[in-house]
Amino acid sequence: MLEYSKRSINTISFIISIIILIMINCFNLFFRNFDFKSTPIIKNFGTNIIEVKFESNTVSQRTKEENIEAKQNNIQNNHTPTNKIEWKLIIPAISLEAEISEGTTKEVMNKYVGHFIETSKTSGNIGLAAHNRGYEVNYFENLKNLKEKDEIQYIYKNFKEEYIVEKNIIIKDTNWDYLKPTNQNTITLITCVENEPEYRRCIVGISK
């Protein structure tokens, strides 16, 4: 009986040994044929940009620092000053500062001081018009209060000129003489006269 037990133990030990040897050989073959390519992945994680290509498409992942820098650049670009046309009329005596736009149509004068297209924008005679009551904007409502020697400032792009009021008069609505070209730098402001549709108020300023 004892002999039989020893034989059984020896047989079982032998089988276990064979199984262990087979497993070791299998593991050796597996690790020999399998190539771990961990180095490029680690190296790529250390760079600023990781790119994964699928056929013709490219997916880029930026670092957090690059994203912050890109946002800052976008903000700066969005706030870059533009060369906006600056066209203004300023009359300190009546606290007037208004933008000027081309034309004297109702649409223009509902928002701006209008420029008579037949007149100059810089040298010579500059003709402007605006409402003085009853409209969305009435920039010339206090034009009647201007006196001789009051100052008028005019800005068009890089052209800036200061004028001194020379005349504040009432003219017929058919009188266009004050809008004719002049050799001297002048500015002419035209507006309606209350309850007198056939007449216009005319301010003439001459360059300092």
Side-chain angles (χ1 to χ4, degrees), residues 20-67:
I20 291 171
L21 287 172
I22 291 170
M23 290 178 65
I24 290 170
N25 286 331
C26 288
F27 275 110
N28 286 335
L29 287 172
F30 175 77
F31 285 109
R32 189 181 302 164
N33 293 326
F34 190 83
D35 184 15
F36 287 101
K37 296 182 179 179
S38 59
T39 304
I41 296 175
I42 295 171
K43 184 178 179 180
N44 282 337
F45 272 104
T47 60
N48 288 331
I49 298 175
I50 302 168
E51 293 188 351
V52 182
K53 294 185 178 179
F54 298 98
E55 295 179 357
S56 61
N57 297 325
T58 301
V59 180
S60 297
Q61 179 181 339
R62 294 184 174 184
T63 61
K64 190 179 292 184
E65 291 78 10
E66 283 184 316
N67 284 330

Side-chain angles (χ1 to χ4, degrees), residues 33-198:
N33 293 326
F34 190 83
D35 184 15
F36 287 101
K37 296 182 179 179
S38 59
T39 304
I41 296 175
I42 295 171
K43 184 178 179 180
N44 282 337
F45 272 104
T47 60
N48 288 331
I49 298 175
I50 302 168
E51 293 188 351
V52 182
K53 294 185 178 179
F54 298 98
E55 295 179 357
S56 61
N57 297 325
T58 301
V59 180
S60 297
Q61 179 181 339
R62 294 184 174 184
T63 61
K64 190 179 292 184
E65 291 78 10
E66 283 184 316
N67 284 330
I68 293 171
E69 184 178 355
K71 287 179 182 178
Q72 289 174 344
N73 289 335
N74 287 335
I75 292 171
Q76 290 175 356
N77 291 335
N78 290 336
H79 289 81
T80 301
T82 57
N83 294 325
K84 182 181 177 181
I85 294 177
E86 191 174 18
W87 202 1
K88 286 184 179 180
L89 177 70
I90 301 170
I91 307 178
I94 56 174
S95 303
L96 171 65
E97 181 171 342
E99 290 187 27
I100 302 169
S101 186
E102 189 67 277
T104 53
T105 64
K106 179 182 177 182
E107 290 75 20
V108 170
M109 293 173 61
N110 278 345
K111 295 182 179 180
Y112 308 97
V113 171
H115 173 255
F116 287 99
I117 59 175
E118 301 86 356
T119 67
S120 173
K121 292 179 181 176
T122 53
S123 59
N125 187 15
I126 299 166
L128 304 175
H131 298 306
N132 61 56
R133 70 195 185 284
Y135 291 88
E136 294 179 35
V137 292
N138 302 287
Y139 288 122
F140 283 179
E141 62 181 334
N142 294 317
L143 215 62
K144 60 187 177 183
N145 297 327
L146 285 180
K147 301 173 183 178
E148 289 186 12
K149 304 301 181 182
D150 281 342
E151 185 181 274
I152 299 171
Q153 300 171 20
Y154 173 84
I155 301 169
Y156 177 71
K157 294 185 179 180
N158 294 324
F159 179 84
K160 296 181 180 181
E161 189 69 276
E162 293 183 356
Y163 304 87
I164 297 297
V165 174
E166 184 183 53
K167 295 178 182 179
N168 186 342
I169 57 176
I170 304 296
I171 61 173
K172 289 281 290 183
D173 63 345
T174 55
N175 183 356
W176 297 96
D177 290 345
Y178 289 96
L179 292 174
K180 290 180 179 180
T182 57
N183 294 325
Q184 186 180 15
N185 282 356
T186 60
I187 191 166
T188 304
L189 313 179
I190 303 288
T191 193
C192 297
V193 178
E194 187 175 0
N195 299 324
E196 296 188 48
E198 296 181 357

Side-chain angles (χ1 to χ4, degrees), residues 1-10:
M1 184 72 179
L2 185 59
E3 245 176 72
Y4 179 77
S5 297
K6 285 183 180 179
R7 262 186 218 170
S8 297
I9 292 171
N10 289 335

